[in-house]
Structure formats: structure tokens, C-alpha cells
Amino acid sequence: QVQLVESGGGLVQAGGSLRLSCPASVNQFSINDMGWYRQVPGKAREFVATISSGGAMNYVNSVKGRFTISRDNVKNTVFLQMNSLKPEDTGVYYCNAVGWNERAGRGETYWGQGTQVTVSA
């Protein structure tokens, strides 16, 4: 199993920065991709950024050039550096881990509980 705990959210003014962290506690699980998603009330959870175990990164167009995803494979931790924040970046940010359950012999995805990011105008 995998446990993910996000931290680093908060209230910031437009133009400000935040750094989110999400360490994964793993047991007989090999993590491949890790990522960040966000959700606002009344809307579906949306993709923000992902990073593979080899370091390949993908971003939603709206955050390119402002957000940077990174990870520490030794500590099984994924980060999201968010700069030049805009009010439309407001939401609950969730991290996830996609990988292989070695005991069950299948692919699985796990999610954290989320951290609130609020950007004021």
C-alpha cells in the first residue's frame, strides 16, 4: 500500500509563490509516475503536472512556465513549485502515485487527502 500526505498549501496573493510537497510511504509497491491534480467545488479534478521515475515531465498548458514539478526518488517525494500564482490556480491540490503492487501483481493508483491553495486577487 501507499500513503501520500500533501503539505505546503495556504493563502497567497496573486503573483506569489508556494511549494507543495508530497512524501509517499510505500510497502511492496514500485512507484512509476507521480503527479499533481487540482479541484474546485462543482468541477471535476483536473490534471496539473506529472513526472515519471525517469524525470519526464508534463504540464497542463495553463501552468507551463510558472509551475515546476520535481521528485526525489530516494525519498519517494514529489514537489510542485508554483510561481506567479493567479486566482484561477485556487483549488484543492492532490498528489498521486501510479505504480505496481508487487504483492498483488497489478497496477494501482493512490491519492493523498489534498491541500488547499487559495490565491487572492
Side-chain angles (χ1 to χ4, degrees), residues 35-91:
W36 290 95
Y37 291 70
R38 63 189 178 193
Q39 189 170 22
V40 297
K43 292 190 176 182
R45 191 173 298 184
E46 69 167 352
F47 161 79
V48 175
T50 58
I51 184 168
S52 71
S53 56
M57 298 169 282
N58 284 294
Y59 299 93
V60 66
N61 285 339
S62 61
V63 308
K64 286 181 180 178
R66 300 188 298 121
F67 291 11
T68 302
I69 189 170
S70 61
R71 66 189 280 178
D72 181 331
N73 287 332
V74 174
K75 297 182 178 180
N76 289 322
T77 301
V78 63
F79 306 95
L80 187 67
Q81 178 66 44
M82 305 186 293
N83 299 328
S84 302
L85 282 160
K86 303 176 181 180
E88 51 263 43
D89 294 318
T90 294

